[in-house]
Amino acid sequence: MKEVNYKDMKFNPFNLLGKEWMLVSAGNEQDGCNTMTISWGHLGCLWGNNDPTAIIYLRPSRYTKTFVDKEEYFTLCVMDKSFKKQMAYLGSVSGRDEDKIAKAGLTKIFADNSIYFAEAKMVFICKKVYASPLQKSGFISNETIGKNYPKSDFHTMYVGKIEKILVKDEEYLNK
């Protein structure tokens, strides 16, 4: 994989998250790690320095959340379309119960203070800069709560400063 500058990137963030999905991963080789599929989130700039950021949302019940909470870094991996079946599996099975990473056939790479996968076509390495649970009082519409949080299991929002972007090929680069 090759490191690139975010200023040289071209992609549709709505497709990356909503259509292609991503794997959010955290952990280390000594204490373990986990990953899960996400299709909600944001990519952009925040807090005035035009620093690239990623915002992800994790429910309290997700095993991956324990690793994201504990670690200083998390990664977001964009996988090739051929991994859609594995992505669905990684989003529906808990790593508490089995080694779902191995079962999905992914190769772990422990580097840059976190974990990502050799099979990824793009990796965002993010340093956590903010975390807070969503609050019921912050919602303008009760419809959103009823539809997404009938058990009041509100996501925790994490903001990560994107410190490094790795790409396998130049698909996402301005040419």
Side-chain angles (χ1 to χ4, degrees):
M1 293 193 96
K2 165 183 155 179
E3 183 176 355
V4 297
N5 187 301
Y6 76 96
K7 294 175 184 175
D8 298 327
M9 302 293 297
K10 71 162 180 144
F11 57 84
N12 180 331
F14 303 104
N15 285 342
L16 276 186
L17 284 155
K19 186 176 174 188
E20 292 185 50
W21 306 340
M22 291 184 179
L23 293 176
V24 59
S25 308
N28 62 65
E29 201 163 7
Q30 297 75 31
D31 300 325
C33 62
N34 204 50
T35 192
M36 64 176 272
T37 304
I38 60 170
S39 62
W40 296 6
H42 301 91
L43 298 171
C45 297
L46 192 60
W47 295 319
N49 295 323
N50 207 27
D51 291 332
T53 55
I55 302 174
I56 61 168
Y57 302 87
L58 301 177
R59 286 197 194 270
S61 61
R62 298 307 298 249
Y63 185 51
T64 301
K65 184 180 184 310
T66 62
F67 293 93
V68 173
D69 285 341
K70 186 174 106 175
E71 299 293 332
E72 186 177 5
Y73 287 81
F74 63 87
T75 62
L76 299 173
C77 292
V78 178
M79 307 300 286
D80 185 83
K81 290 177 191 172
S82 65
F83 283 89
K84 201 66 163 182
K85 185 176 178 182
Q86 291 96 319
M87 299 279 288
Y89 168 76
L90 291 166
S92 62
V93 173
S94 176
R96 283 185 190 100
D97 304 326
E98 61 186 60
D99 185 352
K100 67 180 189 176
I101 294 170
K103 219 170 185 178
L106 297 180
T107 308
K108 300 175 197 171
I109 296 176
F110 291 99
D112 299 302
N113 301 302
S114 197
I115 174 179
Y116 53 91
F117 304 105
E119 296 80 8
K121 62 182 185 177
M122 181 166 50
V123 178
F124 296 93
I125 298 167
C126 305
K127 182 175 184 178
K128 276 190 320 189
V129 294
Y130 181 83
S132 181
L134 298 179
Q135 302 291 317
K136 184 176 184 176
S137 62
F139 286 90
I140 307 303
S141 167
N142 285 331
E143 181 182 338
T144 303
I145 295 171
K147 182 178 176 185
N148 295 287
Y149 301 105
K151 298 178 183 175
S152 295
D153 57 340
F154 298 102
H155 287 86
T156 296
M157 178 181 75
Y158 299 88
V159 178
K161 180 180 177 218
I162 299 171
E163 293 201 334
K164 188 183 277 191
I165 302 170
L166 304 171
V167 296
K168 193 167 268 188
D169 57 42
E170 299 195 2
E171 171 186 0
Y172 295 110
L173 297 177
N174 288 320
K175 294 180 181 181

